[in-house]
Amino acid sequence: MAKIPIISYGHQSIDDNDIKEVVKVLKSDLLTQGPKVEEFEKAVARYCGAKYGVAVSSGTAALHLAYIVAGIKSGDEIITTPLTFAATANMLAVLGAKPVFIDIKSDTLNINPDLIEEKITKKTKAIVTVDFAGHPCDYDEILKIAKKHNLLVIEDACHALGAKYKGKKVGSFADMTILSFHPVKHITTGEGGMILTDNKDFYKKLKTLRHHGIVKKPEKGGWYYEIENPGYNYRITDFQCALGLSQLKKINRFIKRRREIVVIYNRAFKNIKEIITPTEKDYVKSSWHIYPIQLRWIDKRKTFDALQKQGIGVQVHYMPLHLHPFYQKKFRYKNGDFPVAEKYYGKEITLPLFPSLAEKDIKKVIKEIKKIIN
Ligand SMILES: *Cc1c(COP(=O)(O)O)cnc(C)c1O
């Protein structure tokens, strides 16, 4: 029997123009450290309403550098959500800082601002938000708390490029905003990420740290540079940035298509009591990185396996981070600490969602889910 092709939960949408732009750079002199990097940074920053962008080799690298320039170090406590990809907290842990998890809201699945203040101590340095599934957090409340306690807000917006909160674009309100250009995200560079900020000091430090910590001093000679702080090689290539620039031209169309598919799914599942569809508040415009549904009264694992067997590449986003062995051992988190996130995890599966998802595949996903539930 022929193997059923898998419709994955996320996938890049690449066209001939993207390929042409990459090939142009491949035929040019500079594969890296050329003009496309800054062009891409400026274009993304402009699109998001931020002053500066620093493009790096991944979203994880972007988080790492943002945390370093925020001054996060060993012993600091950082408020964040347990419902995120590991990198959000991993990059805190590698700096020796403690992620102080706060439970989520059951509707938006984002950090619950009402629970933040009671966890702030003298060691708290920043709040790291995650706009889960593309739905921005409650920034009026979060920014107010941050201001009152003199904390930085770093927004992990890897799910939320192009999303809006009360009419304002993601990237225009946190101290630093983090993007990823992994193939499943809104636009791709293969691997890649960016830090957005309005803070010139952060911007300069980020650029230096991306490139070994090298500070050029041309007044001392054309060759001359100094290391003031050791940095990394977190550079992104010019052909990746050419791909990113070409992809960015299509961002509005991509988001529009994601939103259309969400409407199709929402309508199809409206009268199925076993499925809870994801929420979008009326004051936000989600850019819908993923489509997470929650199952009622039916077994998650059986449903997951049955869908996979039918070629529907469902996923789970995510097992809350405090349930991972490392976070339990190192920071003494335990099962039961964040009941809303855990309850959600017990019921969640992610359905395929990406702009190039074929109409017939959308129909197939809906049909198979209905079949399995009945
Ligand atoms: C994808 C993602 C990252 C990491 O991005 P990479 O580019 O894969 O390193 C970080 N945080 C969240 C929430 C993500 O979804």
Side-chain angles (χ1 to χ4, degrees):
M1 209 178 86
K3 216 169 149 256
I4 301 174
I6 295 274
I7 308 165
S8 61
Y9 83 90
H11 195 274
Q12 67 272 20
S13 305
I14 300 280
D15 65 16
D16 288 343
N17 280 329
D18 293 328
I19 294 165
K20 218 162 56 192
E21 291 301 318
V22 173
V23 170
K24 261 196 236 165
V25 175
L26 290 176
K27 289 178 175 173
S28 78
D29 285 329
L30 294 170
L31 299 189
T32 188
Q33 294 174 279
K36 286 291 168 190
V37 179
E38 200 171 305
E39 210 184 306
F40 183 48
E41 289 171 339
K42 287 196 165 139
V44 175
R46 193 182 320 118
Y47 173 75
C48 296
K51 266 202 188 128
Y52 308 106
V54 178
V56 292
S57 52
S58 70
T60 305
L63 285 165
H64 192 195
L65 293 191
Y67 293 164
I68 292 170
V69 304
I72 293 170
K73 55 185 188 330
S74 190
D76 289 344
E77 293 179 0
I78 312 300
I79 302 237
T80 192
T81 171
L83 187 66
T84 180
F85 180 57
T88 316
N90 279 353
M91 291 302 104
L92 295 171
V94 298
L95 292 171
K98 178 184 180 180
V100 175
F101 296 125
I102 305 276
D103 210 350
I104 58 169
K105 298 208 320 188
S106 58
D107 53 358
T108 62
L109 310 171
N110 285 329
I111 190 166
N112 186 342
D114 297 340
L115 306 176
I116 291 178
E117 272 195 295
E118 64 198 61
K119 290 292 170 71
I120 293 174
T121 72
K122 283 202 180 73
K123 294 179 182 169
T124 310
K125 194 160 250 166
I127 302 172
V128 175
T129 57
V130 176
D131 304 319
F132 189 79
H135 190 294
C137 299
D138 297 307
Y139 285 103
D140 280 351
E141 289 88 336
I142 291 165
L143 292 169
K144 203 161 109 192
I145 295 166
K147 196 169 173 197
K148 183 173 156 197
H149 296 274
N150 200 19
L151 304 173
L152 286 170
V153 175
I154 299 168
E155 178 177 359
D156 181 342
C158 290
H159 289 193
L161 175 62
K164 282 183 182 165
Y165 173 77
K166 299 189 177 173
K168 283 198 291 190
K169 274 264 184 67
V170 158
S172 67
F173 34 83
D175 293 293
M176 282 182 271
T177 302
I178 308 303
L179 300 172
S180 163
F181 309 119
H182 181 276
V184 298
K185 305 289 164 69
H186 296 85
I187 61 169
T188 190
T189 59
E191 298 281 1
M194 196 177 289
I195 307 106
L196 300 171
T197 186
D198 283 356
N199 182 316
K200 195 167 185 182
D201 182 46
F202 287 164
Y203 170 66
K204 283 189 183 158
K205 285 181 177 155
L206 289 165
K207 279 186 76 158
T208 305
L209 282 171
R210 170 179 69 183
H211 182 57
H212 308 285
I214 283 176
V215 181
K216 288 194 174 146
K217 300 259 168 97
E219 68 276 14
K220 295 192 180 179
W223 72 91
Y224 191 86
Y225 63 77
E226 290 174 351
I227 306 296
E228 285 163 6
N229 280 298
Y232 303 82
N233 178 354
Y234 278 166
R235 293 188 307 265
I236 187 168
T237 66
D238 277 62
F239 51 94
Q240 288 176 291
C241 290
L243 177 56
L245 277 161
S246 177
Q247 289 260 298
L248 188 67
K249 288 191 184 138
K250 292 169 279 195
I251 182 72
N252 290 332
R253 183 148 49 86
F254 284 166
I255 292 172
K256 185 162 169 270
R257 186 58 189 153
R258 284 177 179 274
R259 292 180 61 82
E260 282 167 8
I261 298 170
V262 166
V263 170
I264 296 169
Y265 279 151
N266 284 347
R267 278 207 197 114
F269 304 138
K270 206 170 110 192
N271 295 317
I272 302 178
K273 289 191 299 295
E274 289 86 351
I275 294 178
I276 304 169
T277 55
T279 300
E280 183 182 38
K281 293 287 188 187
D282 57 10
Y283 52 85
V284 316
K285 191 175 170 197
S286 174
S287 53
W288 292 112
H289 162 53
I290 51 171
Y291 187 78
I293 61 169
Q294 295 173 69
L295 303 169
R296 272 197 287 212
W297 311 303
I298 50 172
D299 188 76
K300 162 172 165 159
R301 181 135 183 210
K302 277 190 194 140
T303 311
F304 184 97
D305 289 347
L307 285 165
Q308 284 274 352
K309 223 172 128 192
Q310 292 309 315
I312 317 291
V314 283
Q315 259 299 342
V316 169
H317 294 91
Y318 301 91
M319 178 164 95
L321 294 183
H322 72 285
L323 301 180
H324 284 277
F326 169 78
Y327 288 97
Q328 299 211 335
K329 257 186 263 155
K330 175 85 181 174
F331 302 110
R332 310 219 166 273
Y333 287 113
K334 52 192 189 316
N335 298 35
D337 280 348
F338 306 105
V340 183
E342 286 171 42
K343 191 168 168 213
Y344 160 85
Y345 169 59
K347 303 190 293 189
E348 193 269 346
I349 55 177
T350 303
L351 303 187
L353 174 63
F354 49 94
S356 55
L357 182 60
E359 204 71 45
K360 70 166 181 16
D361 287 339
I362 301 171
K363 289 201 177 108
K364 180 177 167 171
V365 171
I366 292 167
K367 195 181 86 193
E368 294 298 341
I369 289 199
K370 286 185 172 169
K371 218 162 49 185
I372 286 162
I373 282 175
N374 287 323

